[in-house]
Amino acid sequence: MESMNDFKNITIEIVKEGNYAVISINRPDKLNALDYYTLKEIAEALELHEVNPQVRCVVLRGTKEYTKKPAFSAGADLSARGFEDLEKDNLRHQYQAMYRRHKYYDLIEEFPKPLIAAVDGYALGGGFELVLACDIVIASERSVFGFPEIRRGIFPANGGTQRLVRHLGVFEAKKLMFFGDHYSAKQMHELGIVGFLVKDDEFEQFVHEKASWLGNAPTNSLFLIKKSINYGTQVALNVGLQFEHFGYALNSTSQDVQEGVKAFLEKREPVFKGR
Ligand code: COA
């Protein structure tokens, strides 16, 4: 394991394991609540990894070194002060406050390599919204999900009302957001948000196995599949299918597709280089 804390992170930690990197939100005393700087640091760390050929998958998680309760993130930091340059009673300024946070959620979602949300503990509000910006969700059985904002009179505005509804549909999304109840990882697995539900004591090894697999997979193909799914689902089917035409054509120029087919014909395991 190699530390990648080469720029001054205050709220996150970055380590590299093989071909993947792990970004851990490191605010255990606040159950990894997300203030503006934490989001900014996550987005900036991902930007560094975009162009690093040694990193072909990223795991986003809460710190393993929890001090109170295990958490991915308990949501927006309710104790954080607002932006000093923005006025509380100015509607344009408050629009801007949300724009600044959205910008980072969007950057995180746009990361061009596989991004795993490894959830062990609470994933609430803005923490859940961070999960929704990832590609694959692995959760330990003890994890808890939900949108508790309504219980505090808050609008869940880090992409929740828009991203969740695209996964669960209008009625399920309203149920979560109108009542603010907590949901078990098992329930989230049944709803299709959690892709892999794993026993608590098998969580670390499972995350490592999936991240290692993606870190050694054909990175260009994964990139094209990700973009095709993320953008193709936002347009009419005949337009979305165009993403497949172009995706297929672009993918056919990558070295890994040649290696994959060659290895199959030679009856050996392929060695993908992410090119
Ligand atoms: N922002 C800031 N601090 C938070 C936080 C948040 N979103 N969530 C938890 N914390 C802090 C608590 O204030 C507490 O700090 P303290 O020990 O210094 O008092 C610490 O994390 C532990 O939380 P606590 O509430 O004591 O733990 P718990 O096990 O009783 O409950 C939760 C855990 C997650 C259910 C509860 O903390 C909670 O509901 N948090 C807020 C979740 C939320 O509303 N998120 C959406 C925000 S828009």
Side-chain angles (χ1 to χ4, degrees):
M1 190 191 294
E2 177 192 334
S3 172
M4 294 184 79
N5 275 17
D6 50 358
F7 69 106
K8 288 258 172 293
N9 302 311
I10 301 163
T11 60
I12 62 168
E13 272 176 2
I14 313 169
V15 293
K16 185 168 169 290
E17 295 212 19
N19 281 346
Y20 73 89
V22 182
I23 299 175
S24 300
I25 307 167
N26 190 24
R27 307 185 78 207
D29 289 350
K30 290 176 184 281
L31 307 187
N32 299 324
L34 299 164
D35 63 2
Y36 174 71
Y37 299 99
T38 312
L39 284 173
K40 186 169 185 286
E41 286 193 359
I42 295 169
E44 285 173 353
L46 286 172
E47 271 192 312
L48 280 182
H49 295 327
E50 271 175 24
V51 290
N52 182 347
Q54 313 298 327
V55 172
R56 289 158 58 190
C57 169
V58 173
V59 174
L60 185 57
R61 61 174 298 157
T63 177
K64 285 183 205 176
E65 314 298 325
Y66 61 88
T67 51
K68 291 175 179 169
K69 295 266 175 75
F72 177 80
S73 167
D77 186 343
L78 293 170
S79 64
R81 285 182 301 142
F83 296 100
E84 277 170 16
D85 60 331
L86 301 182
E87 295 160 15
K88 282 240 174 314
D89 56 358
N90 182 322
L91 74 90
R92 280 178 297 101
H93 285 207
Q94 288 311 302
Y95 174 96
Q96 195 64 19
M98 228 39 250
Y99 170 76
R100 289 180 185 177
R101 290 178 69 91
H102 267 219
K103 192 171 65 179
Y104 292 122
Y105 277 88
D106 292 349
L107 272 172
I108 293 163
E109 189 173 48
E110 288 294 339
F111 182 61
K113 299 171 190 174
L115 182 58
I116 296 175
V119 180
D120 182 25
Y122 289 111
L124 301 175
F128 194 167
E129 287 162 316
L130 196 53
V131 167
L132 295 174
C134 297
D135 301 310
I136 298 286
V137 186
I138 302 174
S140 62
E141 286 178 343
R142 65 180 171 180
S143 298
V144 175
F145 293 76
F147 280 93
E149 283 91 336
I150 197 67
R151 295 180 180 230
R152 333 242 176 266
I154 299 171
F155 183 100
N158 289 300
T161 64
Q162 301 307 304
R163 288 196 177 96
L164 188 70
V165 76
R166 283 162 168 78
H167 294 295
L168 295 186
V170 165
F171 286 111
E172 203 67 47
K174 284 180 185 163
K175 197 170 84 185
L176 263 82
M177 291 183 184
F178 277 18
F179 295 101
D181 289 329
H182 284 179
Y183 286 74
S184 67
K186 185 168 177 287
Q187 286 173 297
M188 281 298 136
H189 184 237
E190 283 159 5
L191 287 173
I193 299 278
V194 170
F196 298 101
L197 177 66
V198 291
K199 292 193 185 332
D200 299 344
D201 59 358
E202 293 170 9
F203 177 75
E204 297 299 339
Q205 180 59 24
F206 191 89
V207 170
H208 173 65
E209 278 167 21
K210 290 296 174 211
S212 297
W213 197 93
L214 290 170
N216 288 294
T219 311
N220 284 336
S221 311
L222 292 168
F223 160 69
L224 293 165
I225 293 168
K226 175 169 176 168
K227 294 294 170 185
S228 185
I229 290 176
N230 286 5
Y231 284 101
T233 47
Q234 295 183 45
V235 295
L237 180 63
N238 63 338
V239 181
L241 288 170
Q242 291 297 312
F243 285 87
E244 289 207 345
H245 299 182
F246 294 125
Y248 181 86
L250 281 170
N251 189 54
S252 65
T253 65
S254 83
Q255 291 171 20
D256 281 343
V257 70
Q258 290 163 26
E259 163 63 6
V261 175
K262 192 162 174 274
F264 175 77
L265 296 175
E266 293 171 0
K267 300 192 187 308
R268 63 174 172 82
E269 284 300 310
V271 180
F272 295 120
K273 298 200 171 127
R275 299 198 163 269

